[in-house]
Structures are given as C-alpha cells and as structure tokens.
Amino acid sequence: MDSNNHHPQNPNPNLTCTYHNTEFFDTLPDFELSDYLMLEDGTEGDLSSQNVTSSDNVTGGSVESAGATSTNSNIKCRTGVKRNKPDQADFRVAFRTKSELEIMDDGFKWRKYGKKMVKNTPYPRNYYKCSSGGCNVKKRVERDREDSSYVITTYDGVHNHESPCVVYYNHTPLMVPHGWTLQPSSSQSSPS
DNA sequence: CGCGTTTGACCGGCGC
DNA sequence: GCGCCGGTCAAACGCG
C-alpha cells in the first residue's frame, strides 16, 4: 500500500465522527444501507439527495481521510445496519467519498482479496479484508458509476481490535471496536 | 524471504 | 431447473 501515512492530528476540524454501538441504527428500522448502495437504476442517482441521516450534516465537511492525500475530498457518510446471516457481522457502514484515490486508509490494515467487475458499473469493485488476525471485517471499495469522482467504501463487520493507528476526530477515536455511531458536526468542531 | 496484489476459477444465492 | 451475478478462494507473481 502506498497510503500508510497516517495523520496524527484531526484531519478534518469540520467533521465530528463519533462511534458508539448499533443502538443508533435501531432508530432507523427501515434503513438498509446496502439498499442505498445497491446501484439500481433510478435510485443511485439520488444518493446524494437521499443521504437522510447524516449527509446534510456531513456533506460539505471536507475531509482528508487518514492516508488519503486528496486535498479536496468531500465525504458523504451513509450509515446503517444490515442484518446478515447469523455467522456474519450484522453491521455495515459505508462512506461515499469524493476522492481521486480509491485507497481510503482508515487506520486499519487491509489486504486485498478480490476484484470484480460488477454489472451496470464500468468500474471494478475491490474487496478487502482486515489483515489483523482474528478480525474478519471486510470492506468493498468501488467508484460511483454516476460520478466517478466519488468512491463508495462499504465496511462489513466490526473490528474486534484497536486500530493500529487510531484516527481521532475531535478527540474521539474514529474507530471503536464495538460499533459506530455517526455524529457529524454541522458547523464546527464542538467538543463535549 | 515474507507479505501484499493480481486474477481466473469456483461457489452459492437469487430471479426467471 | 437453469442461468446470471456477486462474493470468495487460492495460486502465481511482484516488490521491498
């Protein structure tokens, strides 16, 4: 990887991301993130306008994601819970990020295990696994076919370990092992 | 030499 | 039942 240059400080004073557990998502019983990310005809085009829970707050907060050296990355966070098979993680979160780079280093170490061309999308989808032993968190990275300047990163599962390099947003660890809740700051950093 | 990436093959789920 | 498609595996390869 070429993007292990982590940012020790808060890379984005305009964005507060606080992660708790999935209780947050229980308030969104009908919100299936995967549905939103499913690039279906006539729906994916509304991605930006349908960013119901967080986009209004998050969008506009330019973020230089850890490792992503893009100087103008506008991140749009889509969060939700996906009920999977019992033996699978029941947690899924996705970010739609405006970036030229597909590599979104979030502080964890990922190993690429697959690449696939998906239907109706001119761009390949890349599959990554957390390379930490015992951690079976996966993520998919693909370009938004509607706007190739956006990268959609989907995380499956929850890390069972601390990040090798915890990224802090407003004094709050970006990655917490037991689930995330997104609390974007709409205007400025407002430490509690 | 070890680790990560690449890539074609394989498998399972789902829709018709 | 069959075919399509998304997801995963694993061997080969490349790089540090």
Side-chain angles (χ1 to χ4, degrees):
Chain A
M1 285 190 191
D2 58 348
S3 57
N4 281 331
N5 52 328
H6 305 297
H7 295 264
Q9 77 282 8
N10 181 356
N12 176 30
N14 295 323
L15 180 65
T16 300
C17 291
T18 305
Y19 299 97
H20 297 295
N21 55 36
T22 56
E23 289 178 2
F24 170 76
F25 301 113
D26 289 339
T27 65
L28 303 169
D30 295 325
F31 187 73
E32 294 273 337
L33 177 68
S34 60
D35 291 341
Y36 282 86
L37 290 180
M38 207 64 70
L39 299 179
E40 298 171 341
D41 290 340
T43 58
E44 76 290 345
D46 293 329
L47 253 176
S48 59
S49 62
Q50 288 186 0
N51 284 341
V52 288
T53 58
S54 59
S55 70
D56 288 346
N57 295 325
V58 176
T59 303
S62 64
V63 61
E64 183 179 358
S65 59
T69 56
S70 174
T71 56
N72 185 24
S73 298
N74 292 318
I75 188 169
K76 295 188 177 185
C77 299
R78 310 289 310 269
T79 59
V81 61
K82 171 65 174 179
R83 311 291 182 192
N84 289 325
K85 299 175 187 174
D87 63 330
Q88 292 183 334
D90 62 349
F91 188 84
R92 178 174 292 180
V93 62
F95 297 88
R96 185 170 179 263
T97 308
K98 186 169 186 176
S99 174
E100 295 179 359
L101 300 175
E102 294 185 9
I103 302 298
M104 302 296 294
D105 191 336
D106 45 26
F108 291 90
K109 196 171 184 178
W110 300 94
R111 191 182 74 231
K112 190 174 186 176
Y113 69 90
K115 178 182 177 182
K116 192 81 172 181
M117 293 300 299
V118 294
K119 195 179 179 183
N120 295 329
T121 305
Y123 308 102
R125 176 180 293 171
N126 296 296
Y127 299 88
Y128 298 87
K129 280 182 180 177
C130 183
S131 62
S132 294
C135 182
N136 62 349
V137 176
K138 301 168 190 173
K139 79 172 180 179
R140 296 194 297 263
V141 178
E142 62 189 299
R143 286 215 167 267
D144 188 339
R145 75 177 178 96
E146 287 293 315
D147 188 344
S148 63
S149 65
Y150 285 90
V151 175
I152 298 173
T153 305
T154 306
Y155 294 88
D156 274 303
V158 180
H159 294 279
N160 61 4
H161 59 94
E162 294 289 344
S163 167
C165 179
V166 179
V167 179
Y168 284 84
Y169 280 161
N170 294 334
H171 313 292
T172 303
L174 178 60
M175 297 299 170
V176 175
H178 297 294
W180 308 343
T181 294
L182 198 61
Q183 292 182 349
S185 173
S186 58
S187 59
Q188 64 180 16
S189 60
S190 55
S192 58

